[in-house]
Every structure is written in structure tokens, then in C-alpha cells.
Amino acid sequence: MASSVLSNSDRMRESSRKQKKKKNHGNRDRHQNQNLINWKSQAQKEIYSSKLVRALNQVRLSPSNEAPRRGRAVREAADRILAVAAKGRTRWSRAILTNRLKLKFRKPKKQRVSTAGNNRPKKPRVSVFRLKGKTLPAVQRKVRVLGRLVPSCRKEPLPVILEEATDYIAALEMQVRAMSALAELLSASTSVAGSSSAPPR
């Protein structure tokens, strides 16, 4: 009799643990789905687009006219605004924002003076880690590559990488849609301005 009472209480504890685990897992899934839905909403796209237009105006007003620097500045502005739109909820958004701050406060590197007698070509370095990487199973190699693609996920475990990657991909899809819409608007406005300024025949 005592053993049946004991086993019933053990079963009750085990079932309550399982219910709590399911509840926590369900809350995490709901939170993750909320982030995905948030990126796919029209309101979020409009908010991002308006902030992006303001940031691109600042890039356009900057004194540098070199094309590579201008392209890099546009990409950095678009990524920074995407991270701001994420409101620091994810690792990748915090990484982009902190990287921007690090670049802002970094001291310029001094040029190294090379001696004229040391002109030997350098041998390509092969690291032990690179050799070990070739023996990893395919899934681990792919997880490592995915961790490198998502900002601030290089050394994270697989569940964290997957969660961050799903949010980052949804955010990038929204960024592409917003930038495509802006490009269409700009091309349409320039074609209308070009046709209205053309002399009549």
C-alpha cells in the first residue's frame, strides 16, 4: 500500500514536470513565432522603410563620393536599421549594434614600415583547426558555417544558432522586400521625372 502511494506521488511529480516543460516550450515557440510574424507584417516593413530612407539620406549627404565606400555605407546603414528594428531582442541585432559602436571608437591602425631586405613571399598557413574541420561530419560543418553567417553565433550551440538563424532570415527577407519596394519607387520617380523634362516633339 505504501509503495503504491509513493509511486502515485512520483507519477504526479513527473506529470507536473512534463506539463511545466510543455508550457515553457510552448511559450518559447509562441515568442519565436511572434518574432517571425512581426518581421512579416506590413507595419514592420513600413517602419523599417521609413527609418531606412532617413539613414540613406544621411549616407547621401556624407562627403565621400567613392562608389565602394558609398556601397559599404548603404549596406551598413541597412543592417544597422534592421538591428534597431529588432530592438536588441536577438543576439544578431545586439552584435550588429555593438560592432558599430566598436568601429566608431576604434583607433586608426598605424602603418607598419617594411624593411627592403625582407621581401620573401609568405607561405600559406595551414592551421590545425582547418585540418580538423575537414574530418567533421557534414552536419557539424554545416552548423559551423551557419554559425559564421549569423552575427554573434559562431560559438553558440545548435538550438541557439537555429533560433537566431530563423529570426535573422525572416528579418533579411523583410529587408529585401523593403529595399526592393524603395528601388521600384525610386526608379519609377526617375522615369516620371525624365519623361516630364523631355522636350515635346
Side-chain angles (χ1 to χ4, degrees):
M1 180 82 174
S3 64
S4 65
V5 172
L6 192 61
S7 63
N8 281 340
S9 65
D10 288 342
R11 285 189 208 132
M12 294 284 283
R13 281 190 207 125
E14 187 66 29
S15 66
S16 67
R17 277 190 215 138
K18 287 181 181 178
Q19 287 175 350
K20 285 181 183 178
K21 196 172 186 179
K22 277 185 180 179
K23 187 177 179 181
N24 289 339
H25 189 66
N27 287 341
R28 192 179 76 216
D29 288 346
R30 225 177 293 125
H31 178 68
Q32 186 176 2
N33 288 339
Q34 181 185 7
N35 284 346
L36 291 176
I37 292 168
N38 192 13
W39 289 121
K40 292 183 178 184
S41 70
Q42 185 65 25
Q44 186 66 30
K45 181 180 164 188
E46 289 172 3
I47 291 169
Y48 174 76
S49 298
S50 64
K51 289 181 178 180
L52 181 64
V53 167
R54 277 188 247 132
L56 292 178
N57 279 333
Q58 289 178 352
V59 168
R60 191 183 66 172
L61 296 175
S62 66
S64 174
N65 288 327
E66 296 176 25
R69 285 188 182 176
R70 177 76 46 102
R72 186 180 303 133
V74 167
R75 187 178 69 235
E76 286 176 357
D79 288 344
R80 189 178 66 247
I81 297 302
L82 190 65
V84 167
K87 299 176 184 171
R89 291 178 306 208
T90 56
R91 290 176 188 272
W92 64 262
S93 62
R94 291 190 294 268
I96 289 172
L97 293 173
T98 55
N99 189 28
R100 178 71 180 154
L101 285 174
K102 285 178 188 174
L103 290 176
K104 187 176 182 179
F105 294 113
R106 184 191 302 178
K107 293 179 182 176
K109 291 183 178 179
K110 293 181 180 179
Q111 297 271 337
R112 281 179 37 179
V113 178
S114 63
T115 59
N118 194 8
N119 290 334
R120 290 188 329 215
K122 291 186 177 181
K123 293 180 183 177
R125 290 185 179 175
V126 178
S127 69
V128 175
F129 293 114
R130 200 169 276 181
L131 291 174
K132 284 184 179 178
K134 292 179 182 175
T135 62
L136 287 175
V139 173
Q140 285 183 336
R141 280 197 308 267
K142 291 176 183 178
V143 167
R144 186 176 284 180
V145 169
L146 183 62
R148 288 183 189 140
L149 291 175
V150 180
S152 182
C153 286
R154 185 173 288 233
K155 296 179 180 178
E156 297 300 325
L158 177 62
V160 173
I161 290 174
L162 291 177
E163 188 175 334
E164 291 287 320
T166 53
D167 189 61
Y168 189 54
I169 289 169
L172 288 175
E173 287 174 344
M174 189 270 306
Q175 183 184 44
V176 167
R177 287 194 308 270
M179 292 181 89
S180 300
L182 284 174
E184 286 176 17
L185 276 172
L186 290 174
S187 65
S189 66
T190 56
S191 65
V192 168
S195 65
S196 64
S197 65
R201 291 181 186 190

